[in-house]
Amino acid sequence: CTIEEFSRANRLCNEYLRDHIFATTACPTLTEQQFYLLAKCLVACSDLEEALHTTVAFFAMFEGRIGEARIESEGDRVHLHLNPLRREKNDAAFLVDIYGFAILQIFFGWLLNEHSVFEEVELIYPQPARDNVHLGLFDCPIRFDRPSNCFTLRSSLLAQPVIRDQPDLAKLFRNLPFNFLLDEDQRKLCDRVYTAMMNTYMRSHMLPTIDDVAKLFRTSTWTLRRRL
């Protein structure tokens, strides 16, 4: 099928998962339309600091119905906390949240034309059994079983200007998220391998071998070496 058809199928699957979460927990989650409105607000921001505060204001506008967002400063680091109303940690909630968080962290980088904005992500969910569920989705290390969903960045990035505009956003949303996830210029293999190795180390305190990394990316060791 075409990328447009695959994008539509993906959106239908996400809508089904969101409906399932609402039916089982009575707690709504951010819809695609709401994310588009948030994205339009963020594109209009002047810099990253304004974009972060706009994100918090956007969540506050719904008076907690789609969750809570807040900013915490700690030395030379800034933490963006994003937490849904639901506290159940089932598979459906995990898939919707990790997918949405992955797109959000890539989107912030897209706003600034930076490969990666956040240097660490913390999630309230336990470590999933299958590594390939989360490895490669994020451009930074991930920690699980944390008290809050938290995105950490250096405060020195706050003054970075937003360089995208509304026409850029309209073009981006035609096939979101696959124009993000499949963009090799933004997500270079060497960076994805580094992230995969860091996530494995944080879980087991052992660096994976080249054979282990090749299995994560479903390729042969020889092919991985050649592409790196």
Side-chain angles (χ1 to χ4, degrees):
C1 64
T2 65
I3 188 66
E4 290 82 7
E5 293 170 335
F6 197 63
S7 297
R8 286 195 295 270
N10 174 266
R11 286 167 176 157
L12 287 173
C13 290
N14 287 332
E15 194 65 36
Y16 174 82
L17 284 173
R18 281 193 293 266
D19 290 343
H20 175 73
I21 290 173
F22 183 74
T24 56
T25 67
C27 296
T29 187
L30 194 69
T31 66
E32 182 179 335
Q33 291 76 20
Q34 289 166 340
F35 178 68
Y36 183 60
L37 288 176
L38 172 60
K40 288 177 71 70
C41 295
L42 297 183
V43 165
C45 294
S46 60
D47 55 29
L48 178 59
E49 183 172 17
E50 183 180 355
L52 292 176
H53 284 283
T54 298
T55 300
V56 173
F58 183 87
F59 275 76
M61 180 176 63
F62 288 89
E63 299 179 337
R65 291 191 297 273
I66 60 173
E68 172 259 352
R70 60 183 175 88
I71 296 173
E72 175 190 7
S73 296
E74 184 181 19
D76 61 350
R77 295 294 186 271
V78 175
H79 310 287
L80 173 64
H81 296 267
L82 294 175
N83 291 295
L85 282 175
R86 61 188 177 276
R87 304 309 296 177
E88 293 83 357
K89 300 174 184 178
N90 55 42
D91 291 341
F94 171 75
L95 289 173
V96 167
D97 282 348
I98 199 169
Y99 173 84
F101 291 153
I103 297 303
L104 185 64
Q105 59 101 26
I106 299 174
F107 182 77
F108 272 106
W110 176 84
L111 285 174
L112 310 181
N113 197 29
E114 292 282 345
H115 172 67
S116 181
V117 171
F118 301 105
E119 61 180 21
E120 183 178 83
V121 170
E122 296 182 352
L123 299 175
I124 63 173
Y125 296 97
Q127 172 78 36
R130 297 179 58 191
D131 286 338
N132 59 3
V133 168
H134 65 277
L135 290 177
L137 283 178
F138 291 85
D139 292 319
C140 59
I142 312 168
R143 295 181 184 274
F144 293 93
D145 280 316
R146 311 303 291 178
S148 172
N149 296 313
C150 177
F151 299 78
T152 298
L153 67 148
R154 299 189 308 276
S155 58
S156 59
L157 288 175
L158 294 176
Q160 286 279 92
V162 171
I163 67 168
R164 305 293 185 174
D165 55 21
Q166 297 295 340
D168 291 333
L169 184 65
K171 181 179 179 182
L172 177 73
F173 263 77
R174 289 173 190 166
N175 296 310
L176 191 76
F178 300 104
N179 41 6
F180 270 161
L181 301 181
L182 302 179
D183 189 342
E184 290 300 320
D185 290 334
Q186 284 197 328
R187 296 176 57 75
K188 294 179 181 178
L189 180 62
C190 57
D191 295 314
R192 294 169 62 201
V193 167
Y194 170 77
T195 301
M197 293 178 69
M198 288 302 298
N199 280 321
T200 300
Y201 177 78
M202 290 170 65
R203 185 181 68 255
S204 63
H205 300 291
M206 292 180 60
L207 284 173
T209 65
I210 186 66
D211 294 331
D212 295 330
V213 175
K215 289 178 182 178
L216 289 174
F217 287 91
R218 298 182 180 181
T219 188
S220 67
T221 301
W222 183 87
T223 299
L224 182 62
R225 288 181 183 274
R226 179 173 56 82
R227 292 184 61 190
L228 289 174

